[in-house]
Amino acid sequence: FASCMKRQKAPGTTFNKHMDIAEGLLSEYDFLLSEILFNPYTKPQLERIKESLGNLIEIIGHRDESKMQEYLKKIRKNFNVHQIDNNLLIKDAIESSIGF
């Protein structure tokens, strides 16, 4: 992330949070960062990230909605995160606006 980004204005908070994390990591000593990056698990993990990003780039390039849904489902599963149910959001909004 940090290798290709510069501080810039962006809507929302996600980009700024990522920038803050990157700046925090980059403020560490070069020796410590090198030791972390040279550990034997880094290269295989970076290769998996590269493959996943390649898949994402292809999905975006083709604007393939079904593959995007599969991709998002897979990464949510990796983090044990469930998609927000829009119907529940609408129901909650309606109920709160009419005082239920």
Side-chain angles (χ1 to χ4, degrees), residues 7-98:
R7 181 64 79 176
Q8 60 190 13
K9 291 186 185 260
T13 59
T14 303
F15 178 80
N16 290 325
K17 287 180 181 179
H18 286 124
M19 289 299 290
D20 291 343
I21 292 167
E23 287 175 356
L25 286 170
L26 292 172
S27 69
E28 296 290 345
Y29 292 107
D30 286 350
F31 176 79
L32 175 62
L33 293 173
S34 295
E35 287 297 307
I36 293 168
L37 292 171
F38 287 144
N39 85 66
Y41 302 103
T42 299
K43 186 174 184 278
Q45 185 64 32
L46 286 174
E47 288 168 349
R48 284 190 292 275
I49 292 168
K50 180 181 173 184
E51 180 181 348
S52 182
L53 289 176
N55 292 336
L56 180 58
I57 289 168
E58 189 171 311
I59 291 167
I60 292 169
H62 291 103
R63 298 188 61 82
D64 189 326
E65 187 64 36
S66 64
K67 286 190 179 180
M68 180 61 79
Q69 294 304 312
E70 290 174 22
Y71 184 86
L72 294 173
K73 184 177 180 179
K74 178 184 173 187
I75 61 175
R76 284 185 180 113
K77 185 177 178 183
N78 289 346
F79 285 86
N80 198 26
V81 172
H82 302 285
Q83 182 177 4
I84 296 171
D85 185 338
N86 288 334
N87 292 325
L88 290 177
L89 288 175
I90 294 167
K91 180 182 174 222
D92 288 346
I94 291 169
E95 288 176 356
S96 65
S97 70
I98 58 176

